[in-house]
């Protein structure tokens, strides 16, 4: 690995100053579970690593019934899984965080890191898309909020500008009878990158769908929403048949490729299956809320 | 009659804590990478990004100027090599030293992506890595060939210009070897068949998947004597190969075998040991430690095992008797000749007594890494094809698949495919053990919304004998130590020490086993071929009896009688003459000083009474029809151990081999892009089973004594890997109603099968 | 830039200071700087778990953490699992149940299993398999490892 400097600021301001100080060659390190591998493979060669794990607001999980959730971007996945609040209000996002790598990885990796690494196959991204998450970004020019669906610009790239970092993930409070679910397809039962991931968030009004969002992973250059599938469901009863149809519509949003992890043909098929299952799972939970 | 099966052993067959266990659970055991010496440097290898290219030039000047870099070497720094074979002392596996050297560091062409080109030693591994980036190599890319069938066609890109077609000696070819085994009248055989099944199968390259990266720590000062610490399966192989590549007399190289973190055949040859020594020589004799990265070893610096195309046609009468078998096997050799196709050729059909057969095998070069051994090398591929066809034949005959196998089983006296008649073997017993298992007697329950299937398959492996040396030292406190040259990869120190303890009447823990370096023990072949418990166990047995002979003499002195009047019974010296109370080793040991001095027993063996091994695997699977993902629900393995010395470690071999076979069946494969770069060169994307993917693996040890060993021991290390791919394929075929012919049965592949079936 | 950094930390209960380059991982710091070679390198990508140590009680792949990130942390390695000569029940069961063959993965499995039992003293087989999924073993087929963890849990609960 190349040589680099390491700083561990304790405030966002310090972090922003450090990041802005070293041109394009400074990088945030949070869990490091993607970054250190990229550095070992010489894919990234930052001259400065800014460790943000010591910044209190980046480690916070707080929920307010009106304002919703503030989730520190550096909170390790395992703490998300151990949070009652997360299980109660965002079970789908919580299960996505609990699917990343092994427990060893979850002890380090964060949702902020997963977001900023911007892999098309990131497990938490479809779940964040489904719950309408917003990235709170702080940089030299101040603070801005970017919805996750506008965050990614391509495989491994995003809207972050020089000196900027994602400080928190903001998620609106779930409406009554709302719940989310995330499901992925991997050939093994753990320790894999999703061949396809599907997140769904459903709000029910009686037995009809009042609102729905569907996020998909590993089927396009970035994690994407499947708006047609979601719109189709509005006003309908969510059952095997409508979920199946929504799955078919989700397939139309996907533009998967062949790679070492799966074929385009297989991915296209599985998008439908997982969308259906995620929707049915979210609806099942929503009925109990 | 006293046989290994009826004898009341005191130690053999028990389950003591292994002697080396404590060090391994407290983190004290020293593996190759754990050694350090003052002034040590770190070595790294530069590897080719091209799968086939001519090396036009290598410029190492910039790398050498980087502060901290102490040496850079290339192929030219090896002693000049020829293609004249170097025989290991066993005389069995000839090694082509030019190929060996050219595979470690490319000579004038790189033949696969990941092929070593140059190596660097520096004061830190990071500096060595930086130096690699400063070595300038000019390549001229050449056409490449990755596909097995393409490589066999006339006009294919030629990888080794010296190879010629067997039938047309003036034509170049990628076919490096052809093998044929035949007997009887194949045409007449098929004419007599009522049912014929013919299929083509395909498997991909797979990796052994040992967790410990290959490593070597070389020390080669200017005195002409070299020492290498390494995690190897074959210290004496490392000695002869390193000496040859460095141009040293064999005796000038000392190999110190470290603890080894898995090998499964891949660590029977040298990968970086000669490079570490070369770097040390060029760095003024400073110690040089090298540890491969996971990507390096996956890309092929250590060799996976062959992908293959397997065509099998078998005919049976409607009564279920196999009357003819024809097989055509092509195996990827990788960039240099030497796939295990010949082993596939004669193991595949060996479970069966077939009058008429014809087996053809082809060893084919492709621009992929040179293959290495992998647990029962060659046998798993062949068995996958044969056992799938046998399963179909049994179905078509309306017979239980195990009854069908038993009806056609090889047994004592059956002429094997290789030629010699089988001695007493346990194939039928293994099949019966599965038939009688709780698992087989419990019907597989179907559940709504899933496909479930059950499959069975069997496997054969020849096992190895070869040479071993052992020394047993008796200590004054009445304990003993056992010194062998066999690297312990799965509990063999425990099993060989138990043999000594049994003979000497000691407890297992009173015999301390050690693995010696190549200067400190007689020649010993590598830990491979399931040979250690058998052959080194035999040496240990004989060395212990050598101690017994001497102890009888000492007892005779104590009793003042003739040695002929002393017997050794149940671990005690007994006087046949007077009524003196028996003397145990514990009682004799303090008297050694005054009866003639220390006692050391020794034995050197060339073990010939090898007992062939058979295993059978039963597996239940469940398939998600929508995602085509296969889950193993239950798995039982039966294997003939001959005699299980330490049953826990016999079970461990059975379970471990079975799980490697399950991985091969389900998800493991090398995925190449069109440029010949391995795309999944990591443990993330080379998907070996985790414990969450598996059920408990139920082992059934079968003991049919090997008549060629005094304790009845057969080797147990390998054969369990052979049946599972076919067993899983048979289970999945049953579940989905379509014959599976390609490995791995990964979700995208099985999805295709399901989609085709749905139409 | 290449100046080494002083890291003050606690390793196996002992306050410890060491010097490392920023680019040295915790695994390198433990092995090459401190001579604690019990933690093993298997992949350097966090996929095999052979380098698992506990950081403030949580299992972490020490290959994916920098040495400098150990500042102020409590690190436990396999060398710190036994208390003096008294083996941890996991170590004892791994020995008795023949749960290791080559042994290279053993330190990592022990640390992951300890992290599990510290939080969940009575895990089911499925929970054990989940907790150990980040540790690869190629020798045993996992059967005897899972059994040893079950048996160690029983011992620790006085059952």
């Amino acid at each position: 690995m190349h040589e680099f400097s390491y700083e561990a600021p304790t405030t966002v301001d310090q972090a922003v100053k450090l990041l802005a100080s070293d041109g394009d060659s400074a990088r945030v390190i949070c869990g490091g579970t993607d970054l250190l591998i990229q550095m070992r493979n010489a894919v990234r060669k930052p001259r400065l690593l800014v460790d943000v794990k010591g910044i209190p607001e980046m480690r916070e999980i707080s929920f307010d019934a009106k304002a919703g959730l503030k989730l520190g971007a550096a909170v390790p996945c395992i703490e998300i899984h151990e949070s009652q609040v997360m299980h109660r209000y965002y079970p789908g996002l919580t299960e996505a965080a609990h699917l990343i790598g092994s427990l060893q990885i979850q002890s380090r990796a964060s949702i902020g890191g997963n977001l900023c690494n911007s892999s098309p196959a990131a497990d938490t991204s479809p779940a964040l898309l489904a719950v309408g998450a917003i990235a709170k970004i702080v940089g030299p020019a101040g603070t801005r909020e970017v919805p996750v669906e506008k965050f990614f610009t391509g495989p491994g790239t995003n809207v972050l500008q020089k000196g900027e970092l994602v400080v928190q993930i903001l998620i609106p409070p779930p409406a009554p009878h709302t719940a989310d679910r995330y499901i992925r397809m991997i050939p093994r039962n753990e320790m894999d990158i999703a061949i396809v991931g599907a997140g769904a968030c459903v709000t029910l009004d009686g037995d009809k769908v009042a609102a729905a969002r569907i996020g998909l992973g590993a089927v396009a250059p970035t994690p994407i929403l499947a708006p047609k599938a979601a719109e189709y469901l509005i006003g309908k009863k969510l059952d095997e048949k409508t979920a199946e149809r929504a799955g078919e519509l989700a397939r139309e949003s996907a533009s998967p490729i062949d790679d070492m992890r799966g074929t385009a043909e297989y991915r296209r098929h599985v998008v439908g299956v997982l969308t259906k299952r995620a929707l049915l799972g979210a609806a099942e939970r929503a009925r109990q809320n | 009659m006293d046989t290994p099966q009826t004898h009341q052993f005191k130690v053999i067959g028990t389950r003591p804590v292994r002697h080396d266990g404590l060090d391994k659970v407290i983190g004290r055991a020293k593996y190759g990478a754990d050694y350090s010496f003052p002034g040590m440097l770190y070595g790294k290898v530069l590897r080719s990004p091209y799968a086939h290219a001519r090396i036009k030039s290598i410029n190492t000047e910039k790398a050498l100027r980087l502060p901290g870099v102490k040496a850079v070497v290339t192929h030219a720094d090896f002693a000049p090599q020829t293609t004249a074979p170097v025989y290991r002392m066993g005389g069995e596996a000839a090694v082509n030293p030019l190929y060996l050297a050219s595979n470690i560091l490319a000579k004038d062409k790189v033949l696969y992506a990941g092929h070593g080109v140059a190596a660097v030693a520096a004061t830190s591994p990071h500096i060595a890595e930086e130096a690699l980036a400063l070595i300038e190599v000019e390549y001229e890319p050449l056409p490449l060939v990755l596909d097995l069938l393409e490589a066999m066609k006339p006009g294919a890109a030629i990888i080794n210009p010296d190879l010629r077609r067997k039938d047309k000696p003036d034509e170049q070819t990628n076919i490096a070897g052809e093998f044929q085994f035949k007997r009887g009248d194949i045409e007449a055989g098929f004419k007599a068949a009522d049912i014929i099944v013919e299929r083509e199968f395909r498997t991909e390259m797979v990796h052994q998947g040992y967790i410990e990266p290959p490593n070597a720590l070389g020390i080669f000062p200017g005195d002409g004597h070299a020492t290498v610490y390494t995690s190897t399966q074959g210290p004496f192989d490392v000695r002869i190969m390193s000496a040859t590549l460095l141009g040293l007399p064999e005796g000038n190289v000392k190999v110190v075998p470290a603890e080894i973190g898995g090998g499964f055949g891949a660590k029977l040859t040298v990968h970086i040991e000669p490079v570490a020594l070369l770097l040390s020589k060029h760095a003024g004799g400073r110690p040089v430690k090298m540890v491969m990265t996971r990507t390096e070893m996956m890309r092929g610096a250590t060799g996976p095992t062959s992908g293959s195309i397997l065509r099998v046609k078998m005919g049976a009468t409607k009564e279920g008797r196999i009357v003819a078998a024809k097989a055509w096997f092509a195996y990827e050799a990788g960039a240099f000749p030497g796939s295990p196709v010949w082993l596939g050729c004669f193991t595949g059909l060996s479970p069966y007594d077939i009058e008429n057969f014809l087996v053809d095998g082809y060893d084919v070069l492709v621009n992929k890494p040179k293959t290495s051994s992998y647990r029962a090398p060659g046998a798993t591929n062949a068995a996958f094809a044969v056992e799938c066809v046998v399963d179909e034949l049994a179905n078509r005959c309306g017979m239980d698949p195990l009854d069908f196998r038993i009806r056609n089983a090889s047994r004592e006296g059956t002429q094997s495919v290789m030629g010699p008649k089988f001695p007493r073997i346990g194939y039928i017993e293994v099949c019966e053990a599965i038939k009688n298992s709780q698992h087989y007697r419990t019907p597989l329950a179907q559940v709504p919304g899933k496909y479930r299937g059950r499959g069975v398959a069997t496997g054969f492996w020849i096992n190895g004998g070869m040479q071993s040396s052992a020394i047993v030292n008796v200590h004054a406190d009445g304990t003993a130590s056992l010194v062998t040259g066999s690297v312990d990869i799965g509990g063999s120190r425990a099993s060989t020490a138990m043999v000594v303890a049994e003979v000497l009447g000691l407890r297992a823990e009173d015999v301390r086993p050690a693995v010696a370096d190549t200067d400190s023990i007689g020649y010993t072949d590598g830990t491979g071929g399931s040979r250690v418990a058998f052959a080194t166990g035999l040496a240990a047995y004989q060395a212990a009896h050598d101690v017994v002979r001497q102890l009888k003499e000492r007892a005779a002195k104590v009793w003042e009688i003739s040695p002929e009047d002393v017997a050794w019974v149940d671990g005690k010296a007994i006087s046949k003459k007077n009524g003196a109370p028996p003397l145990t080793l514990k009682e004799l040991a303090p008297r050694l000083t005054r009866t003639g001095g220390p006692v050391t027993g020794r034995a050197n063996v060339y073990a010939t009474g090898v007992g062939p091994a058979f295993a059978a695997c039963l597996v239940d699977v469940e398939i998600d029809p929508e995602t085509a993902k296969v889950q193993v629900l239950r798995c039982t393995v039966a294997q003939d151990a001959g005699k299980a010395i330490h049953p826990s470690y016999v079970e461990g071999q059975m379970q471990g081999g079975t799980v490697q076979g399950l991985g091969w069946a389900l998800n493991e494969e090398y995925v190449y892009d069109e440029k010949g770069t391995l795309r999944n060169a990591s443990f993330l994307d080379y998907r070996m089973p985790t414990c969450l993917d598996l059920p408990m693996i139920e082992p059934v040890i079968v003991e049919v004594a090997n008549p060629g060993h005094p304790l009845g021991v057969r080797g147990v290390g390998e054969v369990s890997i052979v049946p599972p791919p076919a067993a899983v394929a048979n289970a999945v075929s049953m579940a989905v109603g379509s014959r599976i012919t390609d490995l791995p049965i990964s979700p995208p592949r099985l999805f295709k099968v399901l989609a085709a079936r749905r139409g | 830039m290449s100046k080494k950094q002083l890291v003050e930390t606690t390793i196996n209960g002992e306050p410890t200071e060491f010097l490392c380059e920023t680019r040295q991982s915790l695994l390198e710091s433990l092995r090459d700087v401190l001579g604690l070679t019990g933690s093993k390198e298997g992949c350097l990508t966090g996929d095999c778990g052979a380098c698992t140590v506990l950081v403030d009680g949580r299992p972490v792949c020490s290959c994916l953490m920098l040495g400098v990130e150990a500042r102020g942390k409590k690190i436990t390695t396999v060398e710190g699992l036994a208390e003096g000569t008294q083996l941890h029940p996991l170590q004892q069961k791994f020995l008795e149940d023949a749960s290791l063959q080559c042994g290279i993965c053993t330190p990592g499995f022990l640390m992951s299993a300890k992290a599990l039992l510290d939080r969940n003293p009575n895990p089911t087989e499925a929970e054990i398999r989940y907790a150990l999924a980040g540790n690869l073993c190629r020798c045993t087929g996992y059967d005897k490892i899972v059994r040893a963890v079950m048996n160690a849990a029983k011992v620790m609960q006085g059952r």
Side-chain angles (χ1 to χ4, degrees):
Chain A
M1 200 186 287
H2 68 285
E3 292 185 326
F4 55 85
S5 303
Y6 169 88
E7 297 290 344
T10 53
T11 68
V12 172
D13 277 358
Q14 288 170 5
V16 169
K17 280 200 185 88
L18 283 163
L19 287 169
S21 72
D22 199 355
D24 295 332
S25 197
R27 211 164 166 90
V28 171
I29 180 166
C30 196
T33 54
D34 285 315
L35 181 62
L36 291 181
I37 298 170
Q38 291 160 358
M39 288 167 62
R40 262 191 200 116
N41 293 335
V43 173
R44 292 191 197 277
K45 291 185 159 185
R47 279 195 301 267
L48 168 67
L49 288 191
V50 180
D51 183 346
V52 296
K53 292 190 285 295
I55 300 173
E57 62 194 284
M58 294 187 69
R59 294 297 295 262
E60 140 183 23
I61 302 179
S62 67
F63 181 78
D64 179 275
K66 284 198 183 121
L69 180 80
K70 281 187 198 167
L71 173 61
V75 175
C77 289
I78 196 71
E79 285 180 21
I80 292 170
H81 176 67
E82 287 170 359
S83 155
Q84 292 302 314
V85 164
M86 290 301 297
H87 275 283
R88 170 79 185 81
Y89 296 104
Y90 308 100
L93 177 59
T94 306
E95 65 202 354
H98 202 42
L99 286 175
I100 293 179
S102 57
L103 288 177
Q104 287 96 315
I105 300 296
Q106 288 168 32
S107 297
R108 303 286 295 168
S110 63
I111 289 191
N114 206 215
L115 186 71
C116 294
N117 188 54
S118 301
S119 159
D123 280 311
T124 57
S125 295
L128 289 172
L129 287 167
V131 296
I134 292 158
K136 180 184 167 192
I137 298 169
V138 179
T143 301
R144 60 181 178 133
E145 293 184 357
V146 176
V148 170
E149 59 264 38
K150 302 223 163 93
F151 184 80
F152 307 109
T153 54
T157 60
N158 54 48
V159 298
L160 287 180
Q161 301 293 312
K162 181 174 142 186
E164 285 189 326
L165 78 159
V166 175
V167 173
Q168 288 183 335
I169 315 283
L170 309 175
I171 308 179
H177 310 298
T178 297
D180 64 336
R181 177 91 170 97
Y182 175 76
I183 303 178
R184 68 174 179 182
M185 170 61 211
I186 54 171
R188 291 188 289 184
N189 292 335
E190 268 301 324
M191 296 303 292
D192 246 331
I193 302 292
I195 295 184
V196 176
C201 185
V202 174
T203 303
L204 296 181
D205 180 5
D207 63 351
K208 301 272 169 45
V209 174
R213 283 171 69 93
I214 298 163
L216 303 175
V219 293
T222 69
I224 54 166
L225 282 170
K228 263 206 228 163
E231 280 157 26
Y232 159 79
L233 287 169
I234 307 297
K236 294 199 175 62
K237 199 177 159 209
L238 188 43
D239 56 20
E240 275 284 336
K241 216 176 125 195
T242 53
E244 179 95 36
R245 177 67 193 135
E248 282 166 23
L249 291 167
R251 281 190 187 115
E252 291 175 17
S253 298
S255 53
I257 54 162
D258 282 326
D259 70 7
M260 62 187 170
R261 293 176 182 136
T263 58
E265 178 199 18
Y266 179 71
R267 285 193 159 108
R268 196 177 297 280
H269 168 77
V270 173
V271 168
V273 175
L274 296 196
T275 300
K276 176 183 78 177
R277 291 180 183 182
L279 283 167
L280 291 172
E284 176 76 32
R285 284 175 179 164
R287 275 182 212 113
Q288 287 156 21
N289 278 350
Chain B
M1 200 180 89
D2 188 32
T3 70
Q5 267 47 46
T6 58
H7 186 84
Q8 289 299 306
F9 292 107
K10 290 195 177 68
V11 180
I12 288 173
T14 65
R15 300 171 186 244
V17 167
R18 62 193 283 172
H19 305 75
D20 53 308
L22 179 67
D23 279 354
K24 286 178 173 166
V25 298
I26 63 173
R28 193 166 62 194
K30 282 194 130 184
Y31 295 75
D34 300 337
Y35 284 87
S36 284
F37 288 96
M40 189 171 78
L41 303 173
Y42 296 84
K44 292 273 176 193
V45 178
L46 178 69
R47 297 189 179 276
S48 165
Y50 293 100
H52 198 191
R54 196 171 308 287
I55 300 171
K56 294 176 76 178
S57 65
I58 303 176
N59 187 340
T60 61
E61 276 170 34
K62 277 188 198 160
L64 273 166
R65 281 204 299 269
L66 184 71
V69 172
K70 302 297 172 188
V72 183
V73 299
T74 66
H75 179 95
D77 295 301
F78 284 132
Q81 302 294 326
T82 69
T83 57
V86 166
Y87 290 94
R88 302 186 197 177
M89 268 185 71
E92 308 203 351
V95 174
N96 179 318
L98 181 62
Y99 290 171
L100 183 67
S102 305
N103 188 30
I104 292 172
L105 291 175
K107 187 162 182 278
D108 41 20
K109 283 211 303 183
V110 289
L111 303 177
Y112 55 96
H115 199 161
V117 174
V120 170
T123 50
S124 94
H126 299 281
I127 295 173
E129 240 173 52
E130 286 172 345
L132 294 184
L134 298 175
I135 298 174
E136 296 162 333
V137 186
E138 204 186 338
Y139 295 101
E140 177 195 336
L142 298 169
L144 56 121
V145 57
L146 298 168
D147 182 81
L148 193 44
L149 288 180
E150 290 298 319
M152 295 177 81
K153 284 183 187 159
I158 291 296
I159 294 169
N160 181 335
D162 299 331
L163 293 182
R164 293 290 185 274
R165 276 179 63 158
K166 222 175 169 181
D167 50 345
K168 294 182 189 161
D170 52 342
E171 239 177 73
Q172 293 179 317
T173 180
N174 290 317
I175 299 173
E178 296 181 28
F179 304 87
Q180 190 172 70
F181 297 87
K182 62 178 172 181
R183 188 180 306 145
D185 182 340
I186 187 79
E187 300 303 326
F190 280 114
K191 266 192 200 131
D194 301 308
I195 300 155
I196 292 174
V197 174
E198 184 171 10
R199 293 275 182 192
E200 179 173 301
F201 301 85
R202 195 163 187 140
T203 74
E204 302 299 330
M205 273 189 170
V206 293
H207 195 266
Q208 298 84 358
Y210 41 79
I211 307 299
E212 179 202 39
N215 55 68
L217 196 166
I219 308 170
F220 190 10
D223 61 359
H225 286 264
T227 305
V228 60
Y229 294 75
T230 177
S231 300
T232 178
Q233 293 175 251
F236 287 87
D237 297 316
V238 172
R239 184 175 72 169
I240 179 80
M241 293 183 197
S242 299
T244 304
L245 267 48
L246 295 168
L248 289 175
E250 192 178 349
N252 285 24
V253 177
K254 178 166 97 172
V255 179
V256 185
E259 292 290 343
I260 179 169
F264 310 107
K267 294 180 185 167
L268 279 163
T269 182
V270 288
H271 301 298
I272 42 177
E273 291 87 347
V275 181
L277 289 170
L278 211 51
L279 285 168
S280 174
K281 181 184 165 191
H282 285 251
R286 287 174 73 169
V288 175
K289 177 151 87 177
M290 302 184 78
V291 180
M292 275 194 199
T293 67
R294 182 56 53 184
T295 304
E296 274 183 287
M297 70 194 99
M298 297 294 285
R299 289 248 155 96
T302 60
T305 197
S306 309
S308 52
I309 292 173
L310 313 149
R311 297 172 185 150
V312 174
K313 178 181 174 184
M314 293 176 88
T317 63
K318 53 184 184 298
E319 293 77 29
R321 187 80 184 96
I322 303 171
V323 287
K326 191 173 170 186
W328 183 98
F329 297 147
Y331 282 34
E332 293 170 317
F336 295 89
S339 79
V341 65
W342 61 284
L343 290 161
C345 285
F346 80 81
T347 55
L349 294 173
S350 282
Y352 307 108
D353 183 358
I354 307 173
E355 222 172 293
N356 311 295
F357 63 78
L358 172 64
V359 186
D360 283 299
Y362 299 89
D363 182 36
V364 184
L365 298 192
V366 286
N367 287 116
K368 296 181 184 178
K370 181 196 179 319
T371 51
S372 281
S373 296
Y374 179 23
R375 203 169 203 155
T380 306
N381 309 49
F384 167 59
V386 170
E387 291 294 296
C388 284
V389 168
V390 165
D391 202 64
E392 242 182 308
L393 278 177
N395 278 339
R396 301 259 305 265
C397 291
M399 281 180 73
D400 172 279
L402 286 164
D403 286 338
F404 183 85
R405 285 173 170 85
I406 291 168
R407 178 165 302 178
N408 292 287
S410 288
R411 61 197 79 208
E412 183 175 359
T414 302
Q415 195 179 5
S416 71
V417 174
M418 274 288 266
K421 287 187 174 164
F422 277 121
R424 181 76 171 89
I425 52 172
Y427 181 58
I428 291 172
E429 286 81 353
V430 157
C431 290
E432 280 170 349
I434 291 289
K435 266 190 85 175
N436 295 329
S437 66
Q438 192 61 44
H439 182 176
Y440 202 69
R441 291 154 173 263
T442 310
L444 177 63
Q446 293 295 336
V447 290
K450 305 278 188 188
Y451 301 150
R452 284 184 168 188
R454 170 171 288 179
V456 68
T458 60
F460 160 72
W461 182 242
I462 47 172
N463 284 351
M466 304 196 285
Q467 301 165 96
S468 288
S469 303
I471 295 169
V472 176
N473 300 302
V474 177
H475 302 290
D477 62 355
T479 65
S481 55
L482 166 68
V483 183
T484 76
S486 285
V487 166
D488 181 356
I489 208 159
S492 59
R493 262 171 296 196
S495 63
T496 48
M498 286 168 74
V499 168
V500 172
E502 185 73 48
V503 173
L504 297 182
L506 296 174
R507 300 176 308 164
E509 52 270 39
D510 286 337
V511 180
R512 290 179 300 281
V515 181
D517 65 56
T518 53
D519 279 356
S520 309
I521 185 73
Y523 182 85
T524 299
D525 278 304
T527 297
S530 303
R531 60 174 291 279
V532 175
F534 166 72
T536 305
L538 180 64
Y541 178 84
Q542 292 184 5
H545 276 282
D546 191 29
V547 168
V548 165
R549 179 185 56 77
Q550 297 173 63
L551 291 179
K552 280 157 67 178
E553 290 170 7
R554 302 306 176 89
K557 273 194 184 163
V558 173
W559 289 326
E560 297 178 339
I561 58 176
S562 150
E564 288 82 63
D565 293 328
V566 180
W568 186 265
V569 181
D570 283 341
K572 295 186 214 52
I574 302 206
S575 164
K576 294 190 260 184
K577 208 60 183 276
N578 53 28
L583 283 170
T584 62
L585 185 144
K586 292 248 179 228
E587 292 161 329
L588 274 168
R591 306 194 199 191
L592 295 183
T593 305
R594 273 183 285 166
T595 53
V599 165
T600 289
R602 60 170 196 86
N604 309 89
V605 303
Y606 192 119
T608 53
V610 179
F614 290 89
C617 179
L618 172 66
V619 64
D620 295 347
V621 300
E622 179 176 286
I623 294 149
D624 180 332
E626 289 186 318
T627 63
K629 179 168 161 174
V630 180
Q631 178 68 42
V632 175
L633 298 176
R634 188 169 182 184
C635 182
T636 300
V637 50
Q639 184 176 326
D640 178 15
K643 180 74 198 169
I645 297 174
H646 192 311
S648 295
Y649 288 102
V650 173
E651 290 166 2
Q653 291 296 322
M654 294 163 67
Q655 292 166 328
T658 297
V659 166
Q660 284 185 317
L662 294 176
W664 197 335
L666 291 177
N667 281 305
E668 292 180 35
E669 63 175 317
Y670 267 32
V671 181
Y672 281 93
D673 65 16
E674 70 282 3
K675 287 181 178 163
T677 305
L678 182 66
R679 295 312 316 266
N680 57 336
S682 70
F683 273 156
L684 180 63
D685 289 316
Y686 182 81
R687 300 182 176 106
M688 308 194 320
T690 76
C691 66
L692 197 58
D693 301 320
L694 296 162
M696 293 292 186
I697 307 296
E698 301 165 51
V700 184
I701 299 176
V702 173
E703 292 186 315
V704 175
N706 169 18
H709 189 281
L711 299 168
V713 172
R714 297 172 195 272
V716 295
E718 290 167 290
V719 72
S720 57
I721 196 176
V722 180
V728 172
N730 290 338
V732 174
S733 299
M734 176 196 187
V736 305
S738 286
R739 171 46 53 185
I740 300 297
T741 55
D742 291 1
L743 295 182
I745 312 166
S746 60
R749 282 176 196 263
L750 184 57
F751 168 70
K752 267 192 175 170
V753 175
L754 294 179
R757 188 169 165 73
R758 287 191 197 111
Chain C
M1 202 146 86
S2 67
K3 231 174 69 184
K4 287 190 177 174
Q5 303 235 351
L6 178 68
V7 178
E8 292 177 39
T9 181
T10 303
I11 297 180
N12 297 329
E14 293 279 335
T16 305
E17 292 179 355
F18 64 86
L19 285 171
C20 69
E21 290 184 55
T22 53
R23 60 180 168 179
Q24 283 182 301
S25 65
L26 176 60
L27 178 64
E28 287 173 88
S29 304
L30 290 170
R31 290 177 56 84
D32 297 345
V33 180
L34 294 161
L36 291 169
T37 56
S39 305
K40 302 302 180 191
E41 172 188 326
C43 67
L44 295 183
T45 50
D47 297 311
C48 79
C51 65
T52 302
V53 300
L54 304 188
V55 178
D56 292 341
R58 293 198 189 276
V60 161
C61 291
S62 59
C63 74
L64 290 187
M65 177 169 161
L66 298 172
V68 290
E69 289 182 281
R71 273 196 187 115
K73 305 285 185 198
K74 287 191 174 63
I75 313 286
T76 310
T77 71
V78 70
E79 288 95 338
L81 194 50
E83 293 194 25
T85 55
Q86 182 65 45
L87 293 182
H88 188 280
L90 280 163
Q91 293 170 309
Q92 192 59 40
K93 287 299 162 192
F94 266 59
L95 289 177
E96 289 171 10
D97 295 343
S99 308
L100 53 114
Q101 285 178 33
C102 81
I104 195 89
C105 70
T106 306
F109 270 99
L110 288 169
M111 300 319 287
S112 288
K114 177 175 161 51
L116 168 69
L117 295 186
D118 285 351
R119 282 189 157 70
N120 177 1
N122 189 20
T124 62
E125 182 188 332
E127 285 169 337
I128 292 170
R129 288 186 183 274
Y130 178 79
L132 300 182
N135 293 78
L136 291 174
C137 169
R138 193 61 159 174
C139 292
T140 65
Y142 305 103
D143 183 298
K144 293 184 191 303
I145 293 175
V146 174
R147 288 180 199 279
V149 178
M150 289 169 151
N151 289 334
K154 277 186 204 156
V155 169
M156 290 167 76
Q157 292 216 305
R159 281 181 289 146

